[in-house]
Amino acid sequence: MSYIEKNIEEVRKEIHETCSKIGRNSEEIQLIAVTKTVDYERINKAIGVGIQNIGENKVQEIIQKYDVVSNVNFHMIGHLQTNKVKYIIDKVKLIHSVDRRSLAEEINKRAKKHEKIIDILVQVNVANEETKFGLASSEVFDFLEKIQSLQHIRVKGLMTIAPYAENPEEVRKYFKMLKEIFEEIKTKKFPRIEMKYLSMGMTNDFRVAIEEGANIIRVGTGIFGRRNYNQ
Ligand SMILES: *Cc1c(COP(=O)(O)O)cnc(C)c1O
C-alpha cells in the first residue's frame, strides 16, 4: 500500500470517528484532496483509491492538470484573479473563493458565454486576518444581496480558512462563527441562494471543523505529505 493510500485511509477513519462521536453521518462529509504542487502520478494514486474531488489554488495548475488528470472534479480553492476566470470556467465544479463583486460578475459573464451555471461559495475571513482574502463577516449579507440576481452563478454555501494554530481548539470559535452566519443566511430565504456547503477544515483542524458543522473539508498535507514549492 502506498503512503498516499494509507493517509487517505487514515483521514477517512478520522472523519468517520469524528462523525460517530457527535452523531453525524460521515457520508455527509466531502473530502477534497488538495493537490497544489502535487504531480500527476500522485494525484492519480489518490483517484485510484476513490478520491473524487481535488482542490487547487492556482489557475495555472488547473490548466496544466486538467488534460492529464481525469475522472475527478476540480475545485478552485485559492485567490482568483478576475482576468483569469476565463481559463477555468469550463473546468471547475465549484469555486470556493468568491470574495468580491467584480469576481462574481466576471464568473457570471464567463459562465453565460459557456451557457453554464457555475456553483460558487463565498469566502469569509471570519478571523479578520490581514493576510487572508475573504469578506468580513459583517459584509456577507450585503454581498449576497448584491450578487443574488446574477443568473449564471449559484451561491451554494460558505468557505473559510482558519488561522493556523498548533492546537486546533483555538480556531473552533471561527468555525462556530461561520456556521452561525450559514444558518442565519438560511433564515433570510434568499430565493436563489442555497446554504448547502460549509467548506472549512484542513489537515490540522478538520476534526474540529466537522464537529462544528463542516460538510466539505480540504486536506492536502494529511494526504500527500509536506508540499515542496520548489519543484
Ligand atoms: C493548501 C490549502 C488547503 C490544504 O492545507 P493542508 O494544511 O495541507 O491540508 C486547504 N485549503 C486551502 C484554501 C488551501 O490553500
Side-chain angles (χ1 to χ4, degrees):
M1 213 199 303
S2 72
Y3 74 94
I4 291 173
E5 205 175 336
K6 267 193 220 129
N7 286 347
I8 291 172
E9 204 167 86
E10 181 61 29
V11 171
R12 285 191 178 129
K13 203 177 103 203
E14 291 186 28
I15 293 171
H16 196 82
E17 284 172 2
T18 307
C19 285
S20 307
K21 200 169 79 182
I22 56 167
R24 285 184 72 182
N25 180 350
S26 61
E27 282 167 28
E28 287 170 27
I29 316 290
Q30 253 191 59
L31 170 61
I32 297 188
V34 175
T35 48
K36 59 196 189 201
T37 77
V38 176
D39 58 53
Y40 320 130
E41 285 106 63
R42 290 192 293 153
I43 298 175
N44 281 326
K45 277 224 168 79
I47 295 170
V49 290
I51 287 295
Q52 294 173 331
N53 295 283
I54 60 174
E56 288 284 349
N57 68 341
K58 291 212 167 79
V59 166
Q60 191 60 29
E61 273 190 79
I62 295 178
I63 297 170
Q64 285 168 353
K65 288 168 183 172
Y66 189 74
D67 288 331
V68 284
V69 176
S70 45
N71 300 318
V72 77
N73 300 311
F74 281 74
H75 292 248
M76 178 58 186
I77 61 172
H79 179 63
L80 179 55
Q81 283 176 270
T82 308
N83 62 357
K84 291 189 175 163
V85 170
K86 56 179 177 288
Y87 302 118
I88 59 158
I89 196 75
D90 56 339
K91 298 180 176 63
V92 293
K93 171 94 186 293
L94 182 64
I95 300 174
H96 294 228
S97 44
V98 178
D99 60 357
R100 58 201 191 277
R101 196 171 169 181
S102 58
L103 178 59
E105 283 169 352
E106 176 68 10
I107 295 168
N108 185 64
K109 181 177 132 191
R110 296 292 168 180
K112 188 173 180 191
K113 257 191 186 153
H114 284 266
E115 296 177 349
K116 289 181 75 166
I117 292 170
I118 300 286
D119 290 345
I120 65 159
L121 305 181
V122 174
Q123 182 173 353
V124 187
N125 182 4
V126 259
N128 256 315
E129 286 182 284
E130 272 181 30
T131 54
K132 292 225 171 87
F133 292 102
L135 293 164
S137 304
S138 59
E139 297 170 328
V140 175
F141 283 92
D142 188 45
F143 179 71
L144 291 175
E145 262 164 31
K146 285 188 170 124
I147 66 164
Q148 64 175 334
S149 62
L150 299 172
Q151 297 295 311
H152 288 265
I153 59 175
R154 208 173 268 139
V155 179
K156 289 282 188 181
L158 304 177
M159 178 273 231
T160 199
I161 306 171
Y164 179 80
E166 199 75 39
N167 176 2
E169 285 302 329
E170 286 170 27
V171 297
R172 184 183 289 279
K173 58 178 177 287
Y174 300 120
F175 296 143
K176 264 196 194 352
M177 283 161 77
L178 193 66
K179 168 76 165 165
E180 270 169 28
I181 299 169
F182 183 82
E183 293 300 332
E184 203 185 328
I185 294 168
K186 281 186 192 169
T187 68
K188 302 279 187 210
K189 305 209 183 320
F190 290 102
R192 296 188 62 259
I193 291 173
E194 189 187 0
M195 283 296 115
K196 182 174 181 191
Y197 298 119
L198 196 51
S199 171
M200 56 186 196
M202 320 196 328
T203 298
N204 195 48
D205 55 21
F206 73 81
R207 301 154 200 84
V208 174
I210 290 173
E211 287 170 6
E212 297 304 331
N215 56 16
I216 296 183
I217 60 170
R218 312 176 307 266
V219 180
T221 315
I223 291 176
F224 299 105
R226 279 180 57 193
R227 282 180 287 276
N228 175 5
Y229 285 99
N230 311 313
Q231 57 196 351

